[in-house]
Amino acid sequence: MRRALRRRRRVVSACLAVAAAAALAAGGARAQASRGAAPPGGKPPPSAAVRLVSAPVRIADGATVRLLRPGDRVDVVAAERAGPPRVVAVAARVAEVPAPERDMGDGGALVVLSVPRETARALVGAGAAARLAVTLC
């Protein structure tokens, strides 16, 4: 009886070791793929345009930002002095609304949006050249 119990323990231990090795190998492939290398299966990682990134955006009207909650969807509009306003981001998800900064005056308020990489680049460029506003979707 004891021998059978020992054998069973050895078999279970061997199975667990094989499962752990397989999980480690799969995790290594995922870690390599997250660093930009192609996974061993030959399937390339999703394109950079599809991945979502967190983009901190300063909105000109701080009171509007206080209306936002994480999970809300907003359109971001850039209002430049010359030319009509243009939509920079459509249906961007609000990821975070940081606590308001003290003594900012009329400097607006910060909001973190979850957007594709290309949209994040457009937001940074628009934020440097224009005042940004949001509309709730």
Side-chain angles (χ1 to χ4, degrees):
M1 181 76 137
R2 288 183 186 168
R3 270 194 227 162
L5 192 56
R6 284 184 196 154
R7 285 185 196 149
R8 181 177 267 169
R9 285 181 186 165
R10 287 181 188 156
V11 170
V12 170
S13 296
C15 289
L16 286 175
V18 169
L24 183 61
R30 273 190 235 119
Q32 190 177 23
S34 69
R35 284 185 238 124
K43 186 176 179 184
S47 67
V50 175
R51 294 183 191 149
L52 296 179
V53 297
S54 296
V57 178
R58 183 154 306 275
I59 304 301
D61 185 11
T64 303
V65 172
R66 286 194 296 271
L67 297 173
L68 301 177
R69 300 287 176 256
D72 287 347
R73 294 280 179 172
V74 295
D75 291 345
V76 181
V77 180
E80 299 177 13
R81 293 190 187 270
R86 63 186 171 94
V87 177
V88 182
V90 177
R93 188 179 60 81
V94 175
E96 184 180 352
V97 182
E101 300 167 355
R102 297 185 187 264
D103 300 329
M104 274 303 291
D106 194 23
L110 193 66
V111 64
V112 180
L113 302 176
S114 181
V115 294
R117 223 176 257 282
E118 289 299 317
T119 304
R121 289 183 190 123
L123 284 167
V124 169
R131 293 176 55 103
L132 300 178
V134 293
T135 58
L136 289 166
C137 297

